[in-house]
Amino acid sequence: MAQQFNSMNYKTKTAVLIFGKNWIQPMVLYFENPNAVYEEIQNLIKTSSTTPKLVEYKPLGPIKKVTLLSNQIAGVALQEEPQLQ
């Protein structure tokens, strides 16, 4: 018999997905405050048409440091994922 999904053992974590120009897949990054990073990247996308900036992030997880040119970012999204406690 199939086991029931127990929501008590799971919590939700949020990932920031960065979509780049000419990239096949988005880059998935985890931060302590993903909403703030999401807002920052959205502002970079809006202002990158005038002057591109080199930005660096230090996410949590397997990727330790990311450096991007702001004019190469096509989009950004937040994704909620279930995680065992």
Side-chain angles (χ1 to χ4, degrees):
M1 223 168 145
Q3 240 182 346
Q4 294 281 336
F5 179 75
N6 188 356
S7 62
M8 299 288 288
N9 295 336
Y10 291 90
K11 67 178 184 176
T12 304
K13 69 177 179 178
T14 304
V16 177
L17 280 68
I18 300 175
F19 298 89
K21 296 177 181 175
N22 300 320
W23 295 2
I24 295 173
Q25 301 180 58
M27 187 181 313
V28 181
L29 303 172
Y30 300 98
F31 295 95
E32 289 203 17
N33 189 355
N35 292 325
V37 175
Y38 173 78
E39 294 293 328
E40 180 182 341
I41 294 173
Q42 275 193 327
N43 289 334
L44 280 173
I45 292 170
K46 291 176 188 174
T47 61
S48 69
S49 60
T50 57
T51 56
K53 295 181 183 179
L54 186 65
V55 293
E56 182 174 282
Y57 294 104
K58 293 182 181 178
L60 306 172
I63 298 175
K64 300 300 180 195
K65 192 181 280 190
V66 174
T67 305
L68 302 165
L69 275 172
S70 62
N71 65 349
Q72 294 300 309
I73 300 172
V76 64
L78 292 174
Q79 175 176 298
E80 290 185 347
E81 303 173 352
Q83 178 185 14
L84 285 173
Q85 284 182 324

Coordinates of all heavy atoms in Angstrom, one line a residue:
M1 N 0.8 -1.2 0.0 CA 0.0 0.0 0.0 C 0.9 1.3 0.0 O 1.9 1.3 0.6 CB -0.9 0.0 1.3 CG -2.3 0.4 1.0 SD -3.3 0.0 2.4 CE -4.4 1.4 2.3
A2 N 0.4 2.3 -0.7 CA 1.2 3.5 -0.8 C 1.2 4.3 0.6 O 0.2 4.3 1.3 CB 0.7 4.4 -1.9
Q3 N 2.3 4.9 0.9 CA 2.4 5.6 2.1 C 1.7 7.0 1.9 O 1.8 7.6 0.9 CB 3.9 5.8 2.5 CG 4.2 5.3 3.8 CD 5.7 5.5 4.1 OE1 6.5 5.9 3.2 NE2 6.1 5.3 5.3
Q4 N 1.1 7.5 3.0 CA 0.5 8.8 2.9 C 1.6 9.9 3.0 O 2.6 9.7 3.6 CB -0.5 9.0 4.2 CG -1.7 8.1 4.1 CD -2.7 8.6 3.2 OE1 -2.8 9.8 2.9 NE2 -3.5 7.7 2.7
F5 N 1.3 11.0 2.3 CA 2.3 12.1 2.3 C 2.1 12.8 3.7 O 1.0 13.3 4.0 CB 2.0 13.1 1.2 CG 2.9 14.3 1.2 CD1 4.2 14.1 0.8 CD2 2.4 15.5 1.6 CE1 5.0 15.2 0.7 CE2 3.2 16.6 1.6 CZ 4.5 16.5 1.1
N6 N 3.1 12.9 4.5 CA 3.1 13.5 5.8 C 3.7 14.9 5.7 O 4.9 15.0 5.5 CB 3.8 12.6 6.8 CG 3.6 13.1 8.2 OD1 3.0 14.2 8.4 ND2 4.2 12.4 9.2
S7 N 2.9 15.9 5.8 CA 3.4 17.3 5.6 C 4.2 17.7 6.8 O 4.9 18.7 6.8 CB 2.2 18.2 5.3 OG 1.4 18.2 6.5
M8 N 4.1 17.0 7.9 CA 4.9 17.4 9.1 C 6.4 17.2 8.9 O 7.2 17.9 9.5 CB 4.4 16.5 10.3 CG 3.0 16.7 10.6 SD 2.6 18.3 11.4 CE 3.3 18.0 13.0
N9 N 6.8 16.3 8.0 CA 8.2 16.0 7.8 C 8.9 16.9 6.7 O 10.0 16.8 6.4 CB 8.4 14.5 7.4 CG 8.0 13.6 8.6 OD1 8.1 14.0 9.7 ND2 7.7 12.4 8.2
Y10 N 8.1 17.7 6.1 CA 8.6 18.5 5.0 C 8.5 20.0 5.3 O 7.5 20.4 5.9 CB 7.8 18.2 3.7 CG 8.1 16.9 3.1 CD1 7.3 15.8 3.5 CD2 9.1 16.7 2.2 CE1 7.5 14.5 3.0 CE2 9.4 15.4 1.7 CZ 8.6 14.3 2.1 OH 8.8 13.1 1.6
K11 N 9.4 20.8 4.8 CA 9.3 22.2 4.8 C 9.6 22.7 3.4 O 10.1 21.9 2.6 CB 10.2 22.8 5.8 CG 11.7 22.7 5.5 CD 12.5 23.4 6.6 CE 14.0 23.3 6.2 NZ 14.8 24.1 7.1
T12 N 9.3 23.9 3.1 CA 9.5 24.5 1.8 C 10.7 25.4 1.8 O 10.9 26.2 2.7 CB 8.3 25.3 1.4 OG1 7.1 24.4 1.5 CG2 8.4 25.8 0.0
K13 N 11.6 25.2 0.8 CA 12.7 26.1 0.6 C 12.5 26.7 -0.8 O 11.9 26.2 -1.7 CB 14.1 25.4 0.7 CG 14.4 24.5 -0.4 CD 15.8 24.0 -0.1 CE 16.2 23.0 -1.2 NZ 17.6 22.5 -1.0
T14 N 13.0 27.9 -0.9 CA 12.8 28.7 -2.1 C 14.2 28.8 -2.9 O 15.2 29.2 -2.3 CB 12.3 30.1 -1.8 OG1 11.0 29.9 -1.1 CG2 11.9 30.9 -3.1
A15 N 14.1 28.6 -4.2 CA 15.3 28.7 -5.0 C 15.1 29.9 -6.0 O 14.0 30.2 -6.4 CB 15.5 27.4 -5.8
V16 N 16.2 30.5 -6.3 CA 16.2 31.6 -7.3 C 16.7 31.0 -8.6 O 17.8 30.4 -8.7 CB 17.1 32.7 -6.9 CG1 17.2 33.8 -8.0 CG2 16.7 33.3 -5.6
L17 N 15.9 31.1 -9.7 CA 16.2 30.6 -11.0 C 16.6 31.8 -11.9 O 15.9 32.7 -12.0 CB 15.0 29.9 -11.7 CG 14.8 28.4 -11.2 CD1 14.3 28.4 -9.8 CD2 13.8 27.8 -12.2
I18 N 17.8 31.7 -12.4 CA 18.3 32.8 -13.3 C 18.4 32.3 -14.7 O 19.1 31.3 -15.0 CB 19.7 33.3 -12.8 CG1 19.6 33.8 -11.4 CG2 20.2 34.4 -13.8 CD1 21.0 34.3 -10.8
F19 N 17.7 32.9 -15.6 CA 17.6 32.5 -17.0 C 18.6 33.5 -17.8 O 18.5 34.7 -17.7 CB 16.2 32.7 -17.6 CG 15.2 31.8 -16.9 CD1 14.5 32.2 -15.8 CD2 15.0 30.5 -17.4 CE1 13.6 31.4 -15.1 CE2 14.1 29.7 -16.8 CZ 13.4 30.1 -15.6
G20 N 19.5 32.9 -18.5 CA 20.5 33.7 -19.2 C 20.2 33.6 -20.7 O 19.6 32.7 -21.2
K21 N 20.7 34.6 -21.4 CA 20.6 34.7 -22.8 C 21.5 33.6 -23.4 O 22.7 33.4 -23.0 CB 21.0 36.0 -23.4 CG 20.1 37.1 -22.9 CD 20.6 38.5 -23.4 CE 19.6 39.5 -22.8 NZ 20.1 40.9 -23.1
N22 N 21.0 32.8 -24.3 CA 21.7 31.7 -25.0 C 22.1 30.5 -24.0 O 23.0 29.8 -24.3 CB 22.9 32.2 -25.7 CG 22.6 33.2 -26.8 OD1 21.6 33.0 -27.5 ND2 23.4 34.2 -26.9
W23 N 21.4 30.4 -22.9 CA 21.6 29.3 -22.0 C 20.5 28.3 -22.3 O 19.4 28.6 -22.6 CB 21.4 29.7 -20.5 CG 22.4 30.7 -20.0 CD1 23.5 31.3 -20.7 CD2 22.5 31.2 -18.7 NE1 24.2 32.1 -19.9 CE2 23.6 32.1 -18.7 CE3 21.8 31.0 -17.6 CZ2 24.0 32.8 -17.5 CZ3 22.1 31.7 -16.4 CH2 23.2 32.5 -16.4
I24 N 20.9 27.0 -22.1 CA 19.9 25.9 -22.3 C 19.0 25.8 -21.1 O 17.8 25.6 -21.3 CB 20.6 24.6 -22.6 CG1 21.3 24.7 -24.0 CG2 19.6 23.4 -22.7 CD1 22.2 23.5 -24.3
Q25 N 19.6 25.9 -19.9 CA 18.8 25.7 -18.7 C 19.1 26.9 -17.8 O 20.1 27.5 -17.9 CB 19.3 24.5 -18.0 CG 19.1 23.2 -18.7 CD 19.6 22.0 -17.9 OE1 19.2 21.8 -16.8 NE2 20.6 21.3 -18.5
P26 N 18.1 27.1 -16.9 CA 18.4 28.2 -15.9 C 19.4 27.7 -14.8 O 19.6 26.5 -14.6 CB 17.0 28.4 -15.3 CG 16.3 27.1 -15.4 CD 16.8 26.6 -16.7
M27 N 20.0 28.7 -14.2 CA 20.9 28.4 -13.0 C 20.0 28.5 -11.8 O 19.3 29.4 -11.5 CB 22.0 29.5 -13.0 CG 23.0 29.2 -12.0 SD 24.3 30.4 -11.9 CE 24.7 30.7 -13.6
V28 N 20.1 27.4 -11.0 CA 19.3 27.3 -9.7 C 20.2 27.6 -8.6 O 21.2 26.9 -8.3 CB 18.7 25.9 -9.6 CG1 17.9 25.8 -8.3 CG2 17.8 25.6 -10.8
L29 N 19.9 28.7 -7.8 CA 20.7 29.1 -6.7 C 19.9 29.2 -5.4 O 18.7 29.5 -5.5 CB 21.4 30.4 -7.0 CG 22.2 30.5 -8.2 CD1 22.6 32.0 -8.5 CD2 23.4 29.7 -8.1
Y30 N 20.5 28.9 -4.3 CA 19.8 29.0 -3.0 C 20.5 30.0 -2.1 O 21.7 30.1 -2.0 CB 19.9 27.6 -2.3 CG 19.3 26.5 -3.1 CD1 20.0 25.6 -3.9 CD2 17.9 26.3 -3.0 CE1 19.5 24.6 -4.6 CE2 17.3 25.3 -3.8 CZ 18.1 24.5 -4.6 OH 17.5 23.5 -5.3
F31 N 19.6 30.9 -1.5 CA 20.1 32.0 -0.7 C 19.3 31.9 0.7 O 18.2 31.4 0.7 CB 19.9 33.3 -1.4 CG 20.7 33.5 -2.6 CD1 20.1 33.2 -3.8 CD2 22.0 34.0 -2.5 CE1 20.9 33.4 -5.0 CE2 22.7 34.1 -3.7 CZ 22.1 33.9 -4.9
E32 N 19.9 32.6 1.7 CA 19.2 32.7 2.9 C 18.0 33.6 2.8 O 17.0 33.4 3.4 CB 20.1 33.3 4.0 CG 21.2 32.3 4.4 CD 21.7 32.6 5.8 OE1 21.1 33.3 6.6 OE2 22.8 32.0 6.1
N33 N 18.1 34.7 1.9 CA 17.0 35.6 1.7 C 16.7 35.6 0.2 O 17.2 36.6 -0.5 CB 17.2 37.0 2.3 CG 16.0 37.8 2.2 OD1 15.0 37.5 1.7 ND2 16.2 39.0 2.8
P34 N 16.0 34.6 -0.4 CA 15.9 34.6 -1.9 C 15.0 35.7 -2.4 O 15.3 36.2 -3.6 CB 15.2 33.2 -2.1 CG 14.6 32.8 -0.8 CD 15.4 33.5 0.2
N35 N 14.1 36.2 -1.6 CA 13.2 37.3 -2.1 C 14.0 38.6 -2.4 O 13.8 39.3 -3.4 CB 12.1 37.6 -1.2 CG 11.1 36.4 -1.1 OD1 10.9 35.8 -2.1 ND2 10.6 36.2 0.0
A36 N 15.0 38.9 -1.5 CA 15.8 40.1 -1.7 C 16.7 39.9 -3.0 O 16.9 40.9 -3.7 CB 16.7 40.3 -0.5
V37 N 17.3 38.7 -3.2 CA 18.1 38.5 -4.4 C 17.3 38.6 -5.6 O 17.7 39.2 -6.6 CB 18.8 37.1 -4.3 CG1 19.6 36.8 -5.5 CG2 19.7 37.1 -3.1
Y38 N 16.0 38.1 -5.6 CA 15.1 38.1 -6.7 C 14.8 39.6 -7.1 O 14.9 40.0 -8.2 CB 13.8 37.4 -6.3 CG 12.7 37.6 -7.3 CD1 12.7 36.8 -8.5 CD2 11.7 38.5 -7.1 CE1 11.7 36.9 -9.4 CE2 10.6 38.6 -8.0 CZ 10.7 37.8 -9.2 OH 9.7 37.9 -10.1
E39 N 14.5 40.4 -6.1 CA 14.3 41.9 -6.3 C 15.5 42.5 -6.9 O 15.4 43.4 -7.8 CB 13.8 42.6 -5.0 CG 12.5 42.1 -4.5 CD 11.3 42.5 -5.4 OE1 11.4 43.5 -6.1 OE2 10.4 41.7 -5.4
E40 N 16.7 42.2 -6.4 CA 17.9 42.8 -6.9 C 18.2 42.5 -8.3 O 18.6 43.3 -9.1 CB 19.1 42.3 -6.0 CG 20.4 42.9 -6.4 CD 21.6 42.4 -5.5 OE1 21.3 41.8 -4.4 OE2 22.7 42.5 -6.0
I41 N 18.0 41.2 -8.7 CA 18.2 40.8 -10.1 C 17.2 41.4 -11.0 O 17.5 41.8 -12.1 CB 18.2 39.2 -10.2 CG1 19.4 38.7 -9.4 CG2 18.3 38.8 -11.6 CD1 19.4 37.2 -9.3
Q42 N 15.9 41.5 -10.5 CA 14.9 42.2 -11.4 C 15.3 43.7 -11.6 O 15.2 44.2 -12.8 CB 13.6 42.2 -10.7 CG 12.8 41.0 -10.9 CD 11.3 41.1 -10.5 OE1 11.0 41.8 -9.6 NE2 10.5 40.5 -11.2
N43 N 15.9 44.4 -10.6 CA 16.3 45.7 -10.8 C 17.5 45.8 -11.8 O 17.7 46.7 -12.6 CB 16.7 46.4 -9.5 CG 15.5 46.7 -8.7 OD1 14.4 46.8 -9.2 ND2 15.6 46.7 -7.4
L44 N 18.4 44.8 -11.7 CA 19.6 44.7 -12.6 C 19.1 44.5 -14.1 O 19.7 45.2 -15.0 CB 20.5 43.5 -12.3 CG 21.4 43.7 -11.1 CD1 22.1 42.4 -10.8 CD2 22.5 44.8 -11.5
I45 N 18.1 43.7 -14.3 CA 17.5 43.5 -15.6 C 17.0 44.8 -16.2 O 17.2 45.1 -17.4 CB 16.5 42.4 -15.6 CG1 17.1 41.0 -15.3 CG2 15.8 42.3 -17.0 CD1 16.1 39.9 -15.0
K46 N 16.3 45.6 -15.4 CA 15.7 46.8 -15.8 C 16.7 47.9 -16.2 O 16.6 48.6 -17.1 CB 14.8 47.4 -14.7 CG 13.5 46.6 -14.5 CD 12.7 47.1 -13.3 CE 11.6 46.2 -13.0 NZ 10.9 46.7 -11.8
T47 N 17.9 47.9 -15.4 CA 18.9 48.9 -15.7 C 20.0 48.5 -16.5 O 20.9 49.3 -16.9 CB 19.4 49.4 -14.3 OG1 20.1 48.3 -13.6 CG2 18.4 50.0 -13.4
S48 N 20.1 47.2 -16.9 CA 21.2 46.7 -17.7 C 21.2 47.2 -19.1 O 22.3 47.1 -19.8 CB 21.3 45.1 -17.6 OG 20.2 44.6 -18.4
S49 N 20.1 47.7 -19.6 CA 20.1 48.1 -21.0 C 20.9 49.4 -21.1 O 21.5 49.6 -22.2 CB 18.6 48.4 -21.4 OG 18.1 49.4 -20.6
T50 N 21.1 50.2 -20.1 CA 21.9 51.4 -20.2 C 23.4 51.1 -19.9 O 24.2 51.4 -20.7 CB 21.4 52.4 -19.2 OG1 21.4 51.9 -17.9 CG2 20.0 52.9 -19.5
T51 N 23.7 50.5 -18.8 CA 25.1 50.1 -18.5 C 25.1 48.8 -17.9 O 24.6 48.5 -16.8 CB 25.7 51.2 -17.5 OG1 24.9 51.2 -16.3 CG2 25.8 52.5 -18.1
P52 N 25.8 47.8 -18.5 CA 25.9 46.5 -17.9 C 26.8 46.5 -16.7 O 27.8 47.3 -16.7 CB 26.5 45.6 -19.0 CG 27.0 46.6 -20.0 CD 26.4 47.9 -19.8
K53 N 26.5 45.7 -15.7 CA 27.3 45.6 -14.5 C 27.8 44.1 -14.3 O 27.1 43.2 -14.7 CB 26.5 46.0 -13.3 CG 26.1 47.4 -13.3 CD 25.4 47.8 -12.0 CE 24.9 49.2 -12.1 NZ 24.1 49.6 -10.9
L54 N 28.9 44.0 -13.7 CA 29.4 42.7 -13.3 C 29.0 42.4 -11.9 O 29.3 43.2 -11.0 CB 30.9 42.6 -13.4 CG 31.6 41.2 -13.2 CD1 31.2 40.3 -14.2 CD2 33.1 41.4 -13.1
V55 N 28.2 41.4 -11.6 CA 27.6 41.1 -10.3 C 28.1 39.7 -9.8 O 28.4 38.8 -10.6 CB 26.1 41.1 -10.3 CG1 25.6 42.5 -10.5 CG2 25.5 40.2 -11.3
E56 N 28.3 39.6 -8.5 CA 28.8 38.4 -7.9 C 27.9 38.0 -6.8 O 27.6 38.8 -6.0 CB 30.2 38.6 -7.4 CG 30.8 37.3 -6.9 CD 32.3 37.5 -6.5 OE1 33.1 37.5 -7.5 OE2 32.6 37.7 -5.3
Y57 N 27.6 36.7 -6.7 CA 26.7 36.2 -5.6 C 27.4 35.0 -5.0 O 28.1 34.3 -5.6 CB 25.4 35.7 -6.2 CG 24.5 36.9 -6.7 CD1 24.4 37.1 -8.1 CD2 23.9 37.8 -5.9 CE1 23.6 38.1 -8.6 CE2 23.1 38.8 -6.4 CZ 23.0 39.0 -7.7 OH 22.2 40.0 -8.2
K58 N 27.2 34.9 -3.7 CA 27.7 33.7 -2.9 C 26.5 33.0 -2.4 O 26.1 33.2 -1.2 CB 28.6 34.2 -1.8 CG 29.9 34.9 -2.3 CD 30.8 35.3 -1.2 CE 32.0 35.9 -1.8 NZ 33.0 36.4 -0.8
P59 N 25.9 32.1 -3.2 CA 24.8 31.3 -2.7 C 25.1 30.2 -1.8 O 26.3 29.8 -1.6 CB 24.2 30.7 -4.0 CG 25.4 30.6 -4.9 CD 26.3 31.8 -4.6
L60 N 24.1 29.6 -1.2 CA 24.3 28.4 -0.4 C 24.2 27.2 -1.3 O 23.7 27.2 -2.4 CB 23.2 28.3 0.7 CG 23.0 29.5 1.5 CD1 21.7 29.4 2.4 CD2 24.2 29.7 2.4
G61 N 24.7 26.0 -0.8 CA 24.6 24.8 -1.6 C 25.8 24.5 -2.3 O 26.9 24.9 -2.0
P62 N 25.7 23.7 -3.4 CA 26.8 23.2 -4.1 C 27.6 24.3 -4.9 O 28.8 24.2 -5.1 CB 26.3 22.1 -5.1 CG 24.8 22.4 -5.2 CD 24.4 23.1 -3.9
I63 N 26.9 25.3 -5.4 CA 27.6 26.4 -6.1 C 28.0 27.4 -5.0 O 27.2 27.9 -4.3 CB 26.6 27.0 -7.1 CG1 26.2 26.0 -8.2 CG2 27.3 28.2 -7.8 CD1 25.2 26.4 -9.2
K64 N 29.3 27.7 -5.0 CA 29.8 28.6 -3.9 C 29.9 30.1 -4.4 O 29.8 31.0 -3.5 CB 31.1 28.1 -3.5 CG 31.1 26.7 -2.9 CD 30.2 26.7 -1.7 CE 30.2 25.2 -1.1 NZ 29.0 25.0 -0.2
K65 N 30.1 30.3 -5.6 CA 30.3 31.7 -6.1 C 29.9 31.8 -7.6 O 30.2 30.9 -8.4 CB 31.7 32.2 -6.0 CG 31.9 33.7 -6.1 CD 33.4 34.0 -6.0 CE 33.8 34.1 -4.5 NZ 35.1 34.7 -4.3
V66 N 29.1 32.9 -7.9 CA 28.6 33.0 -9.3 C 28.9 34.5 -9.7 O 28.6 35.4 -8.9 CB 27.1 32.8 -9.3 CG1 26.6 33.1 -10.7 CG2 26.8 31.4 -9.0
T67 N 29.5 34.7 -10.8 CA 29.7 36.0 -11.4 C 29.0 36.1 -12.8 O 29.2 35.2 -13.6 CB 31.2 36.3 -11.5 OG1 31.9 36.0 -10.3 CG2 31.5 37.7 -12.0
L68 N 28.2 37.1 -12.9 CA 27.5 37.3 -14.2 C 27.5 38.7 -14.6 O 27.7 39.7 -13.8 CB 26.0 37.0 -13.9 CG 25.6 35.6 -13.4 CD1 24.2 35.6 -12.9 CD2 25.8 34.6 -14.5
L69 N 27.4 38.9 -15.9 CA 27.2 40.3 -16.5 C 25.7 40.5 -16.5 O 24.9 39.7 -17.0 CB 27.7 40.4 -17.9 CG 29.2 40.7 -18.0 CD1 29.6 40.5 -19.5 CD2 29.5 42.1 -17.5
S70 N 25.3 41.7 -16.0 CA 23.8 41.9 -15.9 C 23.1 42.0 -17.2 O 21.9 41.6 -17.3 CB 23.6 43.2 -15.1 OG 24.2 44.3 -15.9
N71 N 23.8 42.3 -18.3 CA 23.1 42.3 -19.6 C 23.0 41.0 -20.2 O 22.4 40.8 -21.3 CB 23.8 43.3 -20.6 CG 25.2 42.8 -20.9 OD1 25.8 41.9 -20.3 ND2 25.8 43.5 -21.9
Q72 N 23.5 39.9 -19.6 CA 23.3 38.5 -20.1 C 22.2 37.8 -19.4 O 21.9 36.6 -19.7 CB 24.6 37.8 -19.9 CG 25.8 38.3 -20.8 CD 25.4 38.2 -22.3 OE1 25.0 37.2 -22.8 NE2 25.5 39.3 -23.0
I73 N 21.6 38.4 -18.4 CA 20.5 37.8 -17.7 C 19.2 38.1 -18.4 O 18.8 39.3 -18.6 CB 20.4 38.4 -16.2 CG1 21.7 38.1 -15.5 CG2 19.2 37.8 -15.5 CD1 21.8 38.7 -14.1
A74 N 18.5 37.1 -18.8 CA 17.2 37.2 -19.5 C 16.0 37.3 -18.6 O 15.0 37.9 -18.9 CB 17.0 36.1 -20.5
G75 N 16.1 36.6 -17.5 CA 14.9 36.6 -16.6 C 15.3 36.0 -15.3 O 16.4 35.4 -15.1
V76 N 14.4 36.1 -14.3 CA 14.6 35.5 -13.0 C 13.2 35.0 -12.4 O 12.2 35.6 -12.8 CB 15.3 36.6 -12.0 CG1 14.3 37.8 -11.8 CG2 15.7 35.9 -10.7
A77 N 13.3 34.0 -11.6 CA 12.1 33.4 -11.1 C 12.4 32.8 -9.7 O 13.5 32.5 -9.4 CB 11.5 32.3 -12.0
L78 N 11.3 32.7 -8.9 CA 11.4 32.0 -7.6 C 10.7 30.7 -7.7 O 9.6 30.6 -8.4 CB 10.7 32.8 -6.5 CG 11.5 34.1 -6.1 CD1 10.6 34.9 -5.1 CD2 12.8 33.8 -5.5
Q79 N 11.3 29.6 -7.1 CA 10.7 28.3 -7.2 C 10.7 27.7 -5.8 O 11.7 27.6 -5.1 CB 11.5 27.4 -8.1 CG 11.0 26.0 -8.1 CD 11.8 25.2 -9.2 OE1 11.7 25.5 -10.3 NE2 12.5 24.2 -8.7
E80 N 9.5 27.3 -5.3 CA 9.4 26.6 -4.0 C 9.6 25.1 -4.2 O 9.0 24.5 -5.1 CB 8.1 26.9 -3.4 CG 8.0 28.3 -2.9 CD 6.7 28.6 -2.1 OE1 5.8 27.8 -2.2 OE2 6.6 29.7 -1.5
E81 N 10.4 24.5 -3.3 CA 10.7 23.1 -3.4 C 10.5 22.5 -2.0 O 10.9 23.0 -1.0 CB 12.1 22.9 -3.8 CG 12.5 23.5 -5.1 CD 14.0 23.4 -5.4 OE1 14.8 23.0 -4.5 OE2 14.4 23.8 -6.5
P82 N 9.9 21.3 -2.0 CA 9.7 20.6 -0.7 C 11.1 20.0 -0.2 O 11.9 19.6 -1.1 CB 8.7 19.5 -0.9 CG 8.8 19.2 -2.4 CD 9.2 20.5 -3.0
Q83 N 11.3 20.1 1.1 CA 12.6 19.6 1.6 C 12.3 18.8 2.9 O 11.5 19.3 3.7 CB 13.6 20.8 1.9 CG 14.9 20.4 2.5 CD 15.7 21.6 2.8 OE1 15.3 22.7 2.8 NE2 17.0 21.4 3.1
L84 N 13.0 17.7 3.1 CA 12.8 17.0 4.4 C 13.5 17.7 5.5 O 14.5 18.4 5.3 CB 13.5 15.6 4.3 CG 12.8 14.5 3.5 CD1 13.6 13.3 3.3 CD2 11.5 14.2 4.1
Q85 N 12.8 17.7 6.6 CA 13.4 18.4 7.8 C 14.4 17.5 8.5 O 14.5 16.4 8.4 CB 12.3 18.7 8.8 CG 11.5 19.9 8.4 CD 10.4 20.3 9.4 OE1 9.9 19.4 10.0 NE2 10.2 21.6 9.5

